[in-house]
Structures are given as structure tokens and as C-alpha cells.
Amino acid sequence: MMKSLHALFISAALALPAAALAQTPAGPAAPAAQASHVFPTTPARKPNGGKWRLGYFESGDYGEYPRTLKVIVNGLQQLGWVTVPAMPEGLTGRQMWTFLAEQAKSDYVEFVADAWWQPGNFNAQMRPGTRAAIAERLAQRRDVDLIIAMGTWAGQDMAALGAPVPTVVASTSDAVGAKIVKSVQDSGLDNLHARVQPERYQRQVRLFYDIVPFKTLGLVYEDSPEGRTYAAVDAVEQVARELNFKVESCLAPSNGIAQEEATRNALDCYRQLGPKVDAVYVTVHRGLTPASVSQLGQILREAKVPSFAMLGSDEVKAGLLMSLAQADYSYVGLFHAETIARIFNGAQPRQLSQIWIDPAKIALNLETARVIGFDPPVDILLAADEVYEAK
């Protein structure tokens, strides 16, 4: 365990910084004359002197989306593109976009109030109509310069449209696996860019196995292409074959139903898995909200089951055992903000590297460890950046 854990941290430490990666052109679309060009992030108006007009397309109502939008805006503010007053807490994506359209001050960009789209609340039947509305707006009015596509559905739908305008895809678990982009190195479309984290979930599961050598790992997800992507099912199954452990799955429908039902489905699945598994990998699921994660933490404590949170420290603070993810979303926001800034300074989205390596951080909930009878190895305690005593 010690050898592989240390190797994991060494690998992360040697990774290129996100800012450096973001400046590196990638993929066959980069013209040879521009292959070595580094595009600046300094604020600049459109060539005609006007402001850049931003649109927003989100997959549905999900807490990660406004959270990610907020840190992207903070990143733009850090780079000098916009000034935004303190945002109220608890805004939905629509409410946050309206706030930005009304309150953001900038000589360079504007958040277009009516350039906001959503296919209902993860309503698959509304996706074709939403795609058509976006395509019509972009073709006829031509008044949106860049779209932030938030979530897997939004990224897939913009890719399906051929990304008629520069599109930055955020908050998607696996842009390659979801077929939003062609590969880690190449988005496949000149106007498309998505953050890609190679082997992120494999690294998480391998680390979890090193710390808690389980024989059976629990996994909850919706049995749909998107649900499998959110839960990194292919990555988990890959590591299961490598390390020879079993994956015990429970299927929890989430899309096209009420939030309360999605939450009930997810929590019921974790209750069912408790007696059957040695550990659980808690992945992205619409039913897991800041409120329900605390309930999940209690469920898993009572079952005495170690847990690893895909999303990160907030879920550990809420009662899950541990995670390896960015504790500070500002890193993510700045990555996307720098991408947007470089696009407005002349880069094609496809020219910019999509690769982003999250800082290697361990978060550990010691109270949960005590309740479930888990004694963390000394090197884990030494490596932990965030330690929570109670929840």
C-alpha cells in the first residue's frame, strides 16, 4: 500500500500546472503557424469594439452547475474581465444567470439575459426542442459569441449541433466517455473545448483500494449512458479487473423524475448495498444534494461501510469517509475562465489544451473513521490536507 500511495502522490506532484497546460495548443486543428503561440488572458473587446456576448446552456437543476458557474465568473473577475457584486447564496442556474445579466459590470463582456437554455429539469423529451431553439438563435440572430455548456447533456447537445459558436463545456464527469469530445488531446470540433482529467476516477479508485483493501465495492448509478458516465462505471470496472475486486451495483433512476424521488432512489440503493459490500464509491447522482449527502453519511456510518466521495471535500465534511479531489473550486473556475479569455484573444477552442490535473489533496473525516471502526494508516493522516473531526 505504501509504495503505490506514494507513487500516486509523486505522479500528481510532477504533473504540469493547470495554467501551463491551458496555454498549450493541442490536437490536429492547431495551424502550424500558430502551434507555438501562447494566447493571452488579458481583457480585450471584440474587433469591432463591442462587448463579447455570453450565453448559458445547462442540463438541468443540479447544485454543481451554479457552483461551477460562480467560480468561472470569479475566475473572469480575477483576470480583470468583469466586476460582480457578492452573489446571494442558494441561487439556481437560471437565477444566477439573471443576476449576472443585471449586476455584472464590464467593458468587455456581457451575460445575455435571454441567452439561457435548459431542457426542463433533465427532461429527455425536451432536449430536441432545446437544441433546435439554440440552433435557430445562433443561425438567425447571431448575437451570442460564446456558450458555456454546463453538464453532460448540454455538452453533448452542443457537440451534436457542431458547436456553431465557441463552446466551453464545464461540470461533466467524463467528456471523452460521454462522446462530447473526440479524445483527451482533441475536441474534434474547432469551436469546442471541455475540461478533461485523464484517469481521474481510476486514480481515485486505486487510491481507495490501497487504503481500504476491499473485495466488493458498491456503486450506485442510473442505468443510462449519462448515468454510467456520471458514475465513471467504465473506469471502476477497469480497475476492478486490474485489482481483482467485485463491483456490486444498484440502479437508481434519476432523470425525468422529481428531485425527491431521485434522492429517495439513491439513498435506498445505498441502504441496500450496505450489508453486501466492503466499501462504496459515492459518485455523481442527481439524487445526492448537499442535504441528502448528510443523510447518506449517516446511512453508511450505521452500516459501518468506508466511503470515498468522487466530488470532493464537501461530501467528506458532510460525513463521508474520504476523498481525493480539489478542495477549492477556484482552480476549476480559473481554468475555464482562462480558456474563455484566450478564445476572446483569438484562439480557437480546439487549439487549447483540454487537460487539467486537479491538485492532489486528501480529505478525511476522523469522526466517520471512528464510528465505522476504520483506523487510518499513519501515512494517510500525514498526507491529509483536510481533516474533519465531526459531522
Side-chain angles (χ1 to χ4, degrees):
M1 182 274 289
M2 292 281 286
K3 181 178 179 181
S4 58
L5 177 62
H6 290 164
L8 208 161
F9 272 88
I10 290 171
S11 173
L14 293 177
L16 285 173
L21 286 166
Q23 297 183 43
T24 307
Q34 295 182 340
S36 62
H37 187 75
V38 175
F39 295 95
T41 62
T42 49
R45 279 181 173 263
K46 294 170 66 171
N48 65 7
K51 296 182 183 182
W52 301 98
R53 290 168 60 85
L54 297 170
Y56 182 71
F57 177 21
E58 70 175 7
S59 304
D61 294 328
Y62 181 53
E64 286 299 304
Y65 297 162
R67 181 182 183 188
T68 303
L69 176 59
K70 182 176 181 178
V71 294
I72 292 173
V73 173
N74 289 345
L76 289 171
Q77 187 164 232
Q78 182 178 335
L79 296 173
W81 286 80
V82 65
T83 300
V84 181
M87 297 187 200
E89 294 296 324
L91 296 181
T92 65
R94 180 62 183 268
Q95 290 168 339
M96 185 171 291
W97 193 254
T98 300
F99 178 88
L100 292 169
E102 295 175 350
Q103 301 295 328
K105 306 298 181 185
S106 175
D107 293 328
Y108 310 99
V109 298
E110 58 181 303
F111 302 88
V112 182
D114 67 344
W116 179 95
W117 297 275
Q118 183 197 86
N121 190 13
F122 294 98
N123 187 334
Q125 294 181 344
M126 293 182 65
R127 288 179 74 179
T130 304
R131 283 196 302 269
I134 294 172
E136 182 180 6
R137 170 73 174 263
L138 298 181
Q140 295 188 4
R141 294 174 59 175
R142 299 184 180 183
D143 63 342
V144 176
D145 298 304
L146 182 143
I147 288 179
I148 298 171
M150 194 68 71
T152 296
W153 279 13
Q156 289 173 330
D157 289 351
M158 287 304 298
L161 291 174
V165 299
T167 300
V168 173
V169 183
S171 195
T172 182
S173 298
D174 183 356
V176 178
K179 303 187 186 310
I180 296 169
V181 296
K182 180 179 177 181
S183 68
V184 170
Q185 293 80 17
D186 180 20
S187 72
L189 294 169
D190 288 348
N191 271 336
L192 188 65
H193 185 280
R195 179 172 61 102
V196 178
Q197 299 168 268
E199 294 277 311
R200 180 189 185 196
Y201 305 117
Q202 289 91 332
R203 287 187 290 122
Q204 289 186 349
V205 177
R206 290 185 190 114
L207 175 63
F208 192 27
Y209 181 86
D210 285 336
I211 300 170
V212 182
F214 43 81
K215 294 182 180 179
T216 304
L217 179 68
L219 194 64
V220 172
Y221 57 93
E222 178 183 75
D223 191 18
S224 66
E226 293 81 12
R228 294 177 64 88
T229 300
Y230 299 153
V233 174
D234 290 345
V236 174
E237 291 179 345
Q238 173 193 330
V239 179
R241 291 190 295 268
E242 293 173 1
L243 300 179
N244 196 31
F245 61 80
K246 177 185 176 184
V247 178
E248 182 74 29
S249 300
C250 184
L251 305 181
S254 63
N255 289 329
I257 59 178
Q259 178 66 59
E260 295 76 11
E261 187 178 355
T263 295
R264 184 168 58 252
N265 291 341
L267 296 182
D268 285 348
C269 260
Y270 283 106
R271 288 190 186 94
Q272 293 173 36
L273 287 177
K276 303 177 182 179
V277 301
D278 307 312
V280 296
Y281 184 39
V282 178
T283 61
V284 172
H285 189 282
R286 181 169 160 250
L288 294 184
T289 66
S292 63
V293 167
S294 295
Q295 293 177 262
L296 174 58
Q298 186 58 38
I299 290 169
L300 296 179
R301 281 183 179 186
E302 292 175 359
K304 310 290 185 184
V305 175
S307 54
F308 193 105
M310 173 188 278
L311 277 180
S313 302
D314 284 350
E315 296 190 335
V316 176
K317 187 176 181 180
L320 300 188
L321 179 62
M322 68 179 66
S323 182
L324 175 63
Q326 73 275 8
D328 186 348
Y329 262 45
S330 65
Y331 296 113
V332 176
L334 186 58
F335 177 83
H336 288 304
E338 288 178 340
T339 298
I340 293 170
R342 291 190 170 96
I343 291 169
F344 290 159
N345 274 287
Q348 278 188 345
R350 192 177 185 180
Q351 288 178 282
L352 302 174
S353 175
Q354 303 180 119
I355 298 173
W356 187 87
I357 306 297
D358 51 348
K361 295 177 180 292
I362 282 185
L364 180 67
N365 191 310
L366 283 183
E367 176 63 19
T368 296
R370 283 191 285 267
V371 169
I372 69 174
F374 172 70
D375 187 15
V378 173
D379 62 326
I380 296 301
L381 292 173
L382 292 176
D385 295 86
E386 298 184 21
V387 177
Y388 301 100
E389 291 288 347
K391 176 60 182 180

